[in-house]
Structure formats: structure tokens, C-alpha cells
Amino acid sequence: MGILDGKTVLVAGVTLDTSIAFSVAKIAQEQGATVVVSNFGRAMSLTRRVIKKLPTEPVLLEVDVTNEEHLGGLADQLREHTDSLDGLVHSLAYANPETALGGKFLSTPWDDVSKALQVSAYSLTSLTMACKPVLANPASVVGLTFDATVSWPVYDWMGVSKSALESTSRYLARYLGPEGVRVNLVAAGPLETLAKKAIGGADEFNTVWGSRAPLGWDPRDPEPTAKAVVALLSDFFPATTGEMVHVDGGLHSTGS
């Protein structure tokens, strides 16, 4: 028996097999879940190929969180494959690497800031509410962040967006708790994902984690992060919501 036996989970943001979302989908299936995945646009072709590597090829839905029609039709799309949804994983983030990352914080135009906030933070609410008509009671929503309680070099407007995401998760936890929906985040250390490769100078994070994380840190291994997400999707945390669980080798607990 697995800790997700009988549950159906939507994992939003599966692109490559190096992504946290892919590892979440894999471990969720291994723990008994029926998994549905989503992506959109040109990335759909990548997702179609990569999900064939999962233990069971999941249903793939096209969901652009900036498209109101996609969000408005998501519950009906899900109903074609399941009666209810027990879990939602939000693994979505975007900031223009040319203008909003890599030390360009002071000159980023509002259009790029607003896009980063919409995709990386507001979408936790818009995607959750799009799924709400089919969310079970109880249900679990889990998002992914890179601890934004402090500023980081080169992270810039993505850092601001993650800070907004962290606050958003707490408000969702407040408002959806009475309906049995838990909302939590996992704060991962730096991982060699497509998103990290888009940030100029992000290799600096590996140096910091390599020298300071008490448990050590492997930036090529998303499995510890994915396991935490799967645990939060399970019934093992029935009274935990509005929380941010660090999976970073313990670096967050250390001083400078």
C-alpha cells in the first residue's frame, strides 16, 4: 500500500524529467495515486514525450494559467477523467530572464513584473479556484517555492514573486480551510531545473549550499523535494496548513 492509494492528483508544470514536478508525478504514482498532469503551448510537446517515462502514462491537459477560458473549463476537463480531485501540485513560475532576473531588478518594466506575479504567485489562487468545483473534502494543495523571506543575488523579481506566492498560500489556507482544503508550500534548495538554468549567475547558489547546508545538498536530485510534496498530499498531515516546509539540507537554519 502507498500513502496516496485511491487519490487523484493534478500536477501542474511537468516539462522535463529533471523537473521537481516530474519527480512528484513519479513518486505519487509509486505511492498509489492516479496522476493527471498539465502544461500549455509549445511545452506540451515536451511534456507528451517526458510523461512516457513515468510508471504509468498520465492524462495530459492543456492549462495556461493566464488564459481565463482554460481555467474556466478545467473542472469539466477533470470531470472527464475523475469524479473528484484529492490533490493539486502547483509547480509553475516565470519571469523574463532578459529583464527581470540576473541583477536587472531596478530597471524591470511593469509589464514583466506583472507577468511574473501572475504566473508565479496569483496562479496558485486562480488554479486552485479553477479546480475547486472538483476538490474533495479533505484535499491538499502544495506549491513550490525558493525561500523568499530574504533577498538572493540575481533572483530579483522572481524572489518578489515567490514572496507573494508564500503570502498567497497562507491566505488560501485561511479561506479554504473551513472546506477541508489544506494549502502548504515546500521550499526547496537550488536544483538543476530548466527554471534555474534561465537565471544568469544562479550557479552561485550551488556554492553557497555546498559550503553551508548542514546535511549537504545535491542540486541534481529533486527526489527529497518531491517526497516532501507527496507527504503533504497524503493523509499524514491532516492538521497542517499555511505551512512552508524547507527541503534545503538545513541551510535555512544557519547564519551567514
Side-chain angles (χ1 to χ4, degrees):
M1 288 183 62
I3 62 173
L4 296 185
D5 275 353
K7 295 187 183 295
T8 301
V9 176
L10 171 61
V11 182
V14 176
T15 303
L16 298 177
D17 57 3
T18 55
S19 69
I20 299 170
F22 180 88
S23 283
V24 170
K26 179 176 180 289
I27 295 171
Q29 286 186 342
E30 292 170 348
Q31 291 298 319
T34 297
V35 171
V36 179
V37 303
S38 72
N39 213 321
F40 75 98
R42 290 178 294 178
M44 289 283 284
S45 61
L46 289 173
T47 304
R48 283 193 187 93
R49 289 197 295 271
V50 80
I51 59 177
K52 296 181 188 298
K53 299 179 182 180
L54 290 168
T56 301
E57 186 174 344
V59 170
L60 171 61
L61 304 180
E62 183 166 20
V63 184
D64 176 355
V65 292
T66 68
N67 185 315
E68 292 298 326
E69 290 184 5
H70 283 200
L71 292 170
L74 179 55
D76 287 337
Q77 282 197 81
L78 288 166
R79 286 190 185 101
E80 293 177 9
H81 306 285
T82 183
D83 293 330
S84 63
L85 194 65
D86 303 286
L88 168 63
V89 179
H90 178 282
S91 184
L92 304 167
Y94 174 78
N96 187 333
E98 300 299 322
T99 62
L101 300 167
K104 305 177 185 74
F105 182 85
L106 298 178
S107 59
T108 308
W110 167 244
D111 284 350
D112 289 338
V113 172
S114 63
K115 175 67 74 173
L117 290 168
Q118 181 182 15
V119 175
S120 309
Y122 177 72
S123 66
L124 181 64
T125 297
S126 61
L127 185 62
T128 300
M129 294 308 292
C131 292
K132 189 171 178 292
V134 293
L135 282 179
N137 181 353
S140 175
V141 177
V142 185
L144 289 152
T145 189
F146 186 74
D147 191 340
T149 56
V150 297
S151 64
W152 296 102
V154 308
Y155 208 45
D156 296 352
W157 286 101
M158 183 54 73
V160 175
S161 298
K162 290 297 189 183
S163 184
L165 175 74
E166 291 164 15
S167 184
T168 298
S169 72
R170 292 189 288 271
Y171 278 95
L172 280 174
R174 171 185 287 268
Y175 285 111
L176 294 180
E179 298 179 58
V181 180
R182 308 187 308 277
V183 184
N184 295 288
L185 297 179
V186 172
L191 291 164
E192 296 301 330
T193 62
L194 188 65
K196 179 171 175 280
K197 286 179 171 61
I199 306 172
D203 286 344
E204 188 175 337
F205 295 134
N206 293 350
T207 303
V208 173
W209 258 258
S211 62
R212 286 179 47 200
L215 292 175
W217 183 252
D218 183 354
R220 296 171 302 280
D221 184 10
E223 190 170 290
T225 302
K227 284 181 174 179
V229 173
V230 169
L232 287 168
L233 291 170
S234 79
D235 295 330
F236 277 58
F237 288 86
T240 299
T241 195
E243 187 59 85
M244 183 167 73
V245 178
H246 288 82
V247 182
D248 66 349
L251 184 133
H252 72 281
S253 68
T254 68
S256 60

